[in-house]
Amino acid sequence: MKKQKITTFVKELNLRMNSKKEPISLRYIHILGTVVFFSSVSSLVILLAFYLNQRLQTSLFLVEDYHTLSSNPLTSPSLSPPPSPSPRSSGSNIADEELMWRAAMAPRSPMKNETHPKVAFMFLTRWNLPLSPLWEMFFKGHEGFYSIYVHTSPEFTQEPPESSVFYKKRIPSKAVEWGKCSMMDAEKRLISHALLEPSNARFVLLSETCIPLFNFTTIYTYLTRSTRSFLGSFDDPRPMGRGRYTPKMLPHVSLSDWRKGNQWFEISRRVAAEIVSDRRYYAVFKDHCRPPCYIDEHYLPTLVNKICPEMNSNRTVTWVDWSRGGSHPARFVRKDIRVGFLDRIRFGSNCSYEGEVTNVCFLFGRKFHVSTLEPLMKIAPYLFGI
């Protein structure tokens, strides 16, 4: 029965085709059109699948491209995406990875509104700030023009009195070892917290042994009017310079890239953002910069030399005395504090500032022992013009 039905159907189909007398050329056109139609549909499906795949990859690895917000294409972020920001997280209580991701996404230029740009004073210290009375005098009357961030040893939990400018200014901290990567991690932690404040325009790294050499207005004006950062970065041909480089850093860091500089820097917001955005070069230094290579002396000078040398003056504004030799600078005690000594630091050098030669090259000094506090407080009216 089925065979008879099929035979009948085939005969009817032949009769219909013969009755239409359709030209062979027209049939070819129909066939060609059908092929073209299905080919187009297939191509469209393939393109759509490719597009969806690309969008999926972009969403999964978005963090790899956040550094393109920067004008400099050489900084490279982490290969893994950061954790999603928690709604309950705040700038003072978040993990390092999320903190630096947020900081890297912060505006690269200071907020432009009715407020003044601020200078972020970032103190990297082990315990308390023994010279804080001098800094209290320095900051007095200039509220709204500065921000303060303090990184201490995590075991230190003491708070200064509520009347102090340092009250509640400690950031979540971790243990720091001299000459180790933890030192650089602490610096990046401070920079990241400071970047979360949009009005911070300049960033100064200081220690508990640093003192201001001029009054607040002079230092504020000097920094905020500068178009460049103040981070020491120079090619040192000696064993303590180039001798610390290892070819294992190739191809990312070559010997011609290698620089050395003072750990205590002052940088613009743009350079600060470049520093916290970097993952590529920091990973190279963490893997290969081991004693006698000290990451705090080479990483930032080399990084800035590679990615934004035009933004840097290649000098520091923090005076340190290395004339006595050794692995640590000279430390000053009570008997060293004299007006003549401080004035030699303040006016005894020549440097370039915004294209002009000046004898005001250093705004801060270090390394001052706690015993210097009393004589410094007596000289402070002279230093600050009070």
Side-chain angles (χ1 to χ4, degrees), residues 168-371:
K168 296 291 186 182
K169 294 299 189 292
R170 285 188 297 113
I171 67 169
S173 307
K174 294 183 179 180
V176 173
E177 294 183 73
W178 179 77
K180 300 293 183 64
C181 287
S182 57
M183 178 76 76
M184 196 63 243
D185 291 336
E187 294 180 21
K188 296 184 81 168
R189 201 173 293 126
L190 279 164
I191 296 172
S192 296
H193 276 279
L195 276 170
L196 295 182
E197 170 54 59
S199 59
N200 286 335
R202 309 290 300 198
F203 302 72
V204 189
L205 181 68
L206 302 158
S207 77
E208 72 271 24
T209 68
C210 288
I211 65 168
L213 297 172
F214 296 91
N215 62 36
F216 182 89
T217 301
T218 299
I219 291 179
Y220 177 87
T221 303
Y222 194 101
L223 297 179
T224 56
R225 288 185 179 178
S226 175
T227 57
R228 296 190 178 189
S229 296
F230 298 98
L231 188 149
S233 178
F234 62 96
D235 181 13
D236 186 350
R238 299 175 299 172
M240 62 186 65
R242 292 184 195 171
R244 295 175 176 176
Y245 172 79
T246 172
K248 292 179 181 179
M249 292 186 169
L250 291 170
H252 299 298
V253 179
S254 66
L255 182 59
S256 62
D257 299 324
W258 190 251
R259 293 294 184 272
K260 184 180 178 180
N262 192 317
Q263 175 186 4
W264 311 100
F265 57 77
E266 192 284 333
I267 53 178
S268 67
R269 186 175 181 90
R270 190 63 173 271
V271 173
E274 293 287 355
I275 290 171
V276 300
S277 298
D278 174 56
R279 298 291 184 274
R280 175 185 297 163
Y281 302 114
Y282 193 43
V284 172
F285 272 81
K286 290 184 76 171
D287 288 341
H288 303 297
C289 184
R290 309 286 174 80
C293 175
Y294 300 102
I295 193 168
D296 54 276
E297 293 183 13
H298 294 282
Y299 167 62
L300 290 184
T302 301
L303 176 68
V304 171
N305 176 60
K306 279 191 68 72
I307 67 175
C308 52
E310 73 287 351
M311 299 182 189
N312 189 29
S313 63
N314 294 328
R315 68 179 178 91
T316 180
V317 287
T318 299
W319 181 85
V320 183
D321 182 9
W322 289 98
S323 64
R324 301 180 189 181
S327 56
H328 295 280
R331 185 180 69 168
F332 303 100
V333 296
R334 181 187 181 95
K335 66 181 179 63
D336 296 313
I337 305 305
R338 300 288 186 273
V339 169
F341 166 66
L342 294 174
D343 275 349
R344 283 195 297 274
I345 300 174
R346 301 201 306 161
F347 306 113
S349 305
N350 288 318
C351 57
S352 175
Y353 175 79
E354 294 301 291
E356 297 183 0
V357 177
T358 178
N359 65 348
V360 178
C361 302
F362 299 105
L363 307 180
F364 310 97
R366 118 179 250 276
K367 205 175 170 181
F368 291 81
H369 187 260
V370 64
S371 64

Side-chain angles (χ1 to χ4, degrees), residues 11-50:
K11 288 181 179 180
E12 291 179 356
L13 182 62
N14 288 332
L15 288 173
R16 290 177 184 177
M17 293 181 64
N18 292 331
S19 64
K20 289 183 179 180
K21 303 294 184 177
E22 185 176 41
I24 294 177
S25 59
L26 188 58
R27 272 185 264 170
Y28 286 153
I29 292 174
H30 287 168
I31 294 172
L32 182 61
T34 302
V35 171
V36 171
F37 172 76
F38 282 106
S39 297
S40 300
V41 171
S42 300
S43 300
L44 183 61
V45 170
I46 292 171
L47 289 174
L48 181 60
F50 179 77

Side-chain angles (χ1 to χ4, degrees), residues 104-173:
M105 296 294 287
R108 299 286 170 118
S109 299
M111 181 175 59
K112 294 181 179 180
N113 56 16
E114 70 280 1
T115 63
H116 298 281
K118 294 180 181 180
V119 175
F121 291 83
M122 308 178 299
F123 291 87
L124 179 57
T125 175
R126 285 173 290 185
W127 304 105
N128 61 349
L129 295 167
L131 302 177
S132 60
L134 182 67
W135 285 100
E136 298 272 4
M137 186 182 296
F138 170 78
F139 286 119
K140 187 176 181 180
H142 300 286
E143 294 76 12
F145 289 85
Y146 64 85
S147 302
I148 296 175
Y149 305 86
V150 182
H151 188 292
T152 68
S153 175
E155 293 83 15
F156 182 75
T157 58
Q158 296 179 15
E159 279 289 349
E162 291 187 30
S163 58
S164 171
V165 295
F166 295 102
Y167 180 70
K168 296 291 186 182
K169 294 299 189 292
R170 285 188 297 113
I171 67 169
S173 307

